[in-house]
Amino acid sequence: MTSISYVQQQRITRLCVRCGLLLMQYGAESAVVVDLSKRLGFALGMSSVECSLNFNAITLTTICNERCITTTRDTINQSINVNLLVQIQQIVNKTEATINSNDLIDRTTLAFDELDKTVYPTWLVGIFVGASCAAFANLNGGSWSITAVTFIAGMVAMFTRIYLAKHHFNPFITVIVTAFIASLIGATTYYFDIGNNADIAVASSVLLLIPSFPLINSLSDILKGYVNIGIGRAVFTYMLTLSACVGIVMALVLLRIQHWGF
């Protein structure tokens, strides 16, 4: 593209901020968000692209022929979807590889419109999460009865978490309720004297609530210079952990279990 009009620059700016917004929403680290957003802008003919990130917003500026357009978008946290992140990266790579195409903006827009956002069925996710919790319990020396109770607790807790997330509950409330239900089912091993070590069931049933991916992203952001958003993500992660602890304690207090823990 030799000449880019104001309207075309507006469309390119929207595409770049859309790219960054999707990356932030679905779990990409800040360096990837900035890099792909800038690469997309350059591939579409911009002379400069600047991108600034906050914990819940993205601000992006494109410059072309001494003309500057800036836009800001709010972000909404979604579940982590690595498949979507890979698709976006492939779109950027394909756009960069295309040379002298007059309909490049239209083709890139269409590619973003056709992103595959499908996820695994709820029942399948619940079964595999329950299986992972059960496997963790078994590896820690839990008997088969402990493993079975942990499987049920983890599966029911995951169904609860997905249900609450679909109905847009506050993420901290979602974690508290999920931890409460998982611990309540896991703690039945105390109440009915099931298995060889009830502590394993309680600890393993809340394995799904460990925010490992966001915690890794927050550390990566801080180390790569995105301190503000890194600290924001870290605080969010610690609040999720605290919420899980509140849910666990509520369940144990309700069942009047005082001798818990390894």
Side-chain angles (χ1 to χ4, degrees):
M1 285 181 226
T2 55
S3 177
I4 298 178
S5 66
Y6 180 79
V7 174
Q8 287 177 318
Q9 186 177 349
Q10 280 185 318
R11 295 183 62 192
I12 293 171
T13 304
R14 293 192 188 105
L15 275 176
C16 292
V17 79
R18 182 180 182 183
C19 172
L21 196 63
L22 287 170
L23 290 169
M24 287 186 68
Q25 288 177 340
Y26 289 95
E29 61 177 288
S30 299
V32 174
V33 175
V34 173
D35 179 60
L36 290 181
S37 299
K38 287 187 174 183
R39 285 171 54 189
L40 181 62
F42 290 138
L44 292 173
M46 296 295 99
S47 56
S48 178
V49 179
E50 302 298 332
C51 185
S52 175
L53 305 180
N54 292 316
F55 176 71
N56 57 355
I58 175 173
T59 301
L60 187 135
T61 299
T62 59
I63 301 174
C64 180
N65 299 326
E66 299 184 358
R67 188 174 55 224
C68 175
I69 297 179
T70 301
T71 185
T72 300
R73 297 287 188 277
D74 291 332
T75 63
I76 301 174
N77 288 327
Q78 304 283 354
S79 58
I80 296 168
N81 191 333
V82 178
N83 178 48
L84 194 67
L85 303 183
V86 172
Q87 291 181 65
I88 294 173
Q89 187 170 14
Q90 290 173 342
I91 291 174
V92 175
N93 291 338
K94 188 175 181 180
T95 303
E96 288 178 326
T98 305
I99 302 175
N100 296 329
S101 177
N102 294 326
D103 62 342
L104 186 56
I105 299 177
D106 294 328
R107 289 163 58 184
T108 306
T109 303
L110 182 62
F112 274 101
D113 291 338
E114 294 178 346
L115 282 172
D116 182 13
K117 296 182 180 181
T118 57
V119 295
Y120 292 110
T122 300
W123 63 268
L124 185 63
V125 174
I127 289 175
F128 273 89
V129 168
S132 66
C133 294
F136 185 78
N138 187 262
L139 289 173
N140 279 276
S143 62
W144 286 111
S145 56
I146 290 291
T147 301
V149 172
T150 304
F151 172 78
I152 295 172
M155 183 175 61
V156 173
M158 193 62 200
F159 287 150
T160 303
R161 186 176 191 178
I162 293 174
Y163 175 82
L164 295 177
K166 283 183 177 179
H167 288 77
H168 308 290
F169 277 76
N170 183 284
F172 304 122
I173 299 298
T174 298
V175 170
I176 290 174
V177 175
T178 303
F180 175 78
I181 291 177
S183 301
L184 200 64
I185 298 174
T188 57
T189 52
Y190 284 111
Y191 228 62
F192 299 104
D193 196 23
I194 300 174
N196 59 339
N197 192 335
D199 294 329
I200 295 176
V202 176
S204 302
S205 61
V206 293
L207 182 67
L208 69 152
L209 296 174
I210 298 175
S212 55
F213 202 95
L215 185 61
I216 293 172
N217 273 351
S218 67
L219 180 61
S220 176
D221 289 343
I222 293 173
L223 293 177
K224 293 180 180 179
Y226 299 93
V227 179
N228 290 338
I229 189 170
I231 292 176
R233 284 179 168 179
V235 171
F236 182 76
T237 301
Y238 298 147
M239 287 300 298
L240 290 178
T241 305
L242 178 61
S243 299
C245 293
V246 170
I248 295 170
V249 171
M250 286 172 58
L252 296 178
V253 169
L254 179 65
L255 294 177
R256 297 182 181 178
I257 296 172
Q258 300 178 357
H259 56 286
W260 60 283
F262 292 97

